């Protein structure tokens, strides 16, 4: 069972990929595509994500340690392995490579134009405010008592459209399952080796829970959306949704979420190939 704090961190880590606080000078738009990707990587908050991914895996291992009553020695081996395979440097390279392969210059320019607009900057301020300790406390209230924090039907429909446009819930589900499977694989090698058939069965059971996980996380995302965008007028939110549903917006968000997914999957393959993994 994830703690409220962990839920908020995981959800906002993904949300932050999409938004972030981004202020770009006009001169940046004249840079090469590679330069733009580097700038986008930093300004969008993806550089922050390179540090968060290993932390989320470590948090999952900590939960696993309590469930399985693992020894401190075993747990330390696991953490050491994660720090080696999921280093910020290696994750950074995977993410940058993915962005370069999936974001063309026109799409980057369109994204920067939107994010640098007055409304884009206003949204960034709201999102940054929601990530403060005070914001997290308010979000916790929304998650614990959703019935006390309601929105109009039209507003809920807008928030659902936003979620569908940027694929926040689907990305959360994918990453949550990936992190669980990574932790399970590490457990199998460092504590109680599981047969391939057993690992496959557990993986299938986790996948069967995908609809339930999606349902729960989608409600969490809507609650966070309700709090974060509470000061936006419906017309302002509609403009943001329209950008997200546009061709450029779709490419932009798909590439961002795909970059994180790619970092998890490629690093997992390296985990299986590493000598450290085999020797544990």
């Amino acid at each position: 069972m994830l703690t409220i704090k962990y839920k908020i961190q995981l959800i906002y880590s993904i949300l932050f990929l999409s938004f972030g606080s981004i202020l770009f000078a006009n001169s940046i738009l004249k840079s090469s595509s590679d330069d733009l990707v580097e700038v986008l990587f930093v300004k969008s908050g993806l550089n922050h994500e390179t540090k968060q991914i290993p932390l989320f895996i470590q948090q999952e291992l900590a939960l696993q340690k309590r469930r399985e009553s693992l020894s401190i020695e075993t747990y330390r081996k696991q953490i050491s392995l994660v720090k080696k395979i999921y280093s910020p440097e290696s994750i950074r390279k995977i993410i940058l490579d993915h962005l370069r392969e999936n974001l063309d210059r026109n799409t980057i320019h369109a994204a920067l134009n939107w994010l640098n607009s007055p409304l884009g900057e206003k949204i960034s301020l709201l999102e940054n405010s929601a990530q403060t300790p005070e914001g997290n406390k308010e979000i916790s209230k929304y998650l614990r008592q959703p019935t006390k924090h309601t929105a109009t039907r039209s507003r809920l429909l807008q928030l659902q459209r936003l979620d569908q446009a940027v694929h926040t819930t689907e990305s959360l589900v994918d990453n949550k399952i990936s992190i669980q499977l990574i932790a399970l694989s590490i457990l199998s090698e460092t504590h109680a080796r599981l047969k391939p058939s057993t690992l496959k069965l557990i993986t299938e059971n986790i996948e069967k829970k995908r609809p339930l996980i999606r349902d729960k996380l989608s409600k969490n995302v809507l609650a966070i959306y309700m709090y974060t965008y509470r000061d936006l007028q419906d017309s302002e939110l509609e403009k943001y949704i329209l950008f997200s549903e546009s061709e450029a917006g779709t490419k932009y968000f798909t590439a961002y979420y795909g970059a994180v997914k790619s970092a998890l999957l490629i690093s997992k393959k390296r985990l299986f190939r590493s000598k450290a993994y085999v020797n544990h």
Side-chain angles (χ1 to χ4, degrees):
M1 179 70 73
L2 297 179
T3 63
I4 290 293
K5 181 178 180 181
Y6 180 33
K7 283 182 186 175
I8 293 173
Q9 287 177 330
L10 181 57
I11 291 172
Y12 254 107
S13 176
I14 302 300
L15 292 177
F16 190 71
L17 299 180
S18 308
F19 315 124
S21 176
I22 305 179
L23 300 175
F24 296 99
N26 290 333
S27 60
I28 291 177
L29 296 178
K30 299 177 182 179
S31 303
S32 69
S33 294
D34 274 359
D35 290 339
L36 287 177
V37 169
E38 291 276 359
V39 172
L40 198 58
F41 173 78
V42 175
K43 297 295 185 179
S44 67
L46 271 171
N47 61 323
H48 173 74
E49 188 65 16
T50 62
K51 302 173 184 177
Q52 292 300 307
I53 287 176
L55 292 180
F56 289 136
I57 296 174
Q58 290 177 41
Q59 287 175 320
E60 186 66 31
L61 289 173
L63 294 173
Q64 187 173 258
K65 175 181 178 294
R66 290 196 290 271
R67 288 196 302 266
E68 304 294 334
S69 300
L70 300 179
S71 68
I72 293 296
E73 181 182 0
T74 297
Y75 179 64
R76 285 175 178 170
K77 285 182 179 180
Q78 294 177 339
I79 297 302
S80 176
L81 188 55
V82 169
K83 288 182 177 179
K84 177 179 180 180
I85 303 299
Y86 291 87
S87 68
E89 294 77 15
S90 64
I91 292 174
R92 179 182 187 277
K93 184 179 185 307
I94 294 171
I95 289 177
L96 284 172
D97 287 346
H98 184 90
L99 294 180
R100 290 191 179 102
E101 292 174 5
N102 293 276
L103 284 178
D104 59 78
R105 188 179 180 84
N106 290 337
T107 299
I108 295 175
H109 279 205
L112 299 187
N113 286 337
W114 160 257
L115 293 164
N116 199 37
S117 68
L119 180 55
E121 292 179 2
K122 178 180 179 179
I123 289 173
S124 292
L125 289 174
L126 291 175
E127 289 156 356
N128 289 337
S129 176
Q131 294 178 67
T132 62
E134 293 76 15
N136 282 339
K137 289 180 182 178
E138 292 301 315
I139 290 170
S140 294
K141 295 178 183 177
Y142 275 65
L143 292 173
R144 289 193 181 99
Q145 299 174 310
T147 56
K148 290 188 177 182
H149 305 280
T150 57
T152 64
R153 177 172 175 75
S154 62
R155 184 70 163 194
L156 283 174
L157 289 175
Q158 279 189 309
L159 296 176
Q160 288 171 346
R161 279 178 59 203
L162 178 61
D163 184 21
Q164 291 171 359
V166 301
H167 307 295
T168 301
T169 295
E170 287 303 320
S171 297
L172 277 172
V173 173
D174 284 342
N175 292 339
K176 176 178 171 59
I177 290 176
S178 292
I179 290 172
Q180 286 182 338
L181 294 177
I182 288 169
L184 178 64
S185 297
I186 293 175
L187 174 68
S188 176
E189 289 299 318
T190 58
H191 179 58
R193 184 178 293 275
L194 300 175
K195 296 180 180 179
S197 58
T198 303
L199 278 173
K200 181 180 179 182
L201 181 61
I202 295 175
T203 299
E204 290 174 350
N205 286 336
I206 291 176
E207 282 294 340
K208 288 179 181 178
K209 295 179 181 178
R210 181 178 286 268
L212 294 176
I213 296 173
R214 181 188 296 112
D215 182 61
K216 185 172 183 179
L217 288 179
S218 66
K219 293 175 182 177
N220 289 343
V221 168
L222 286 178
I224 290 176
Y225 277 175
M226 279 193 286
Y227 173 77
T228 302
Y229 303 119
R230 67 197 182 284
D231 292 334
L232 284 184
Q233 298 178 5
D234 286 352
S235 59
E236 292 176 314
L237 185 58
E238 184 66 21
K239 289 180 181 178
Y240 179 56
I241 294 170
L242 289 176
F243 167 73
S244 303
E245 292 176 336
S246 70
E247 182 179 358
T250 298
K251 289 180 179 179
Y252 173 69
F253 290 119
T254 299
Y256 267 70
Y257 291 134
V260 177
K261 185 175 182 178
S262 181
L264 287 169
L265 293 178
I266 293 177
S267 294
K268 185 179 179 182
K269 292 179 181 177
R270 291 176 180 173
L271 173 68
F272 285 120
R273 291 198 303 264
S274 73
K275 292 182 180 180
Y277 182 78
V278 173
N279 291 335
H280 274 303

